[in-house]
Amino acid sequence: MSDVTLSIGGRNYTVSCADGQEDHVRHLAGVIDGKLSAMGNNLSSNDAKNLLFAALILADEVEEARDRPLPATEPGFDTDRLGNQLERMAIALENAASTLEGSGSTS
């Protein structure tokens, strides 16, 4: 296991991930940070709540992508790869949430 420091919403979080997955976890954190940035002035003063809303937005996008039929011209969809990516994203989000819960922050 490796520790990775992620910058999300202007705060740094250290999470653990499988060896070799550091860059991928950083990329996922960048996606989450982008969702928080897109929320603009709609951010709360509660970091956990902001991360929850970013996760909900991402989950909604995943559901929409699942419901959208694939164009006939594209090769088969790699559901195993998507499943693995979603699992890694869930682990990263759980680690970030655990870090927030453990920090005792009430901002």
Side-chain angles (χ1 to χ4, degrees):
M1 295 294 277
S2 296
D3 286 340
V4 178
T5 300
L6 309 172
S7 179
I8 301 173
R11 293 192 55 181
N12 290 329
Y13 303 95
T14 301
V15 298
S16 296
C17 67
D19 290 333
Q21 294 298 311
E22 298 87 355
D23 288 339
H24 184 69
V25 171
R26 283 187 196 100
H27 169 74
L28 294 175
V31 172
I32 296 166
D33 189 55
K35 292 302 172 190
L36 286 173
S37 295
M39 291 169 60
N41 292 332
N42 294 322
L43 291 174
S44 151
S45 61
N46 183 322
D47 289 334
K49 192 174 195 179
N50 292 333
L51 287 172
L52 170 65
F53 281 120
L56 288 171
I57 291 168
L58 288 167
D60 184 52
E61 290 175 2
V62 168
E63 287 295 312
E64 286 179 6
R66 280 187 190 155
D67 293 342
R68 195 175 322 130
L70 292 175
T73 57
E74 286 191 24
F77 190 68
D78 188 350
T79 56
D80 288 335
R81 181 172 171 257
L82 176 62
N84 290 335
Q85 289 174 330
L86 289 172
E87 186 174 338
R88 287 192 301 268
M89 185 186 300
I91 290 168
L93 285 170
E94 287 172 1
N95 287 335
S98 293
T99 299
L100 278 172
E101 290 171 357
S103 70
S105 174
T106 57
S107 59

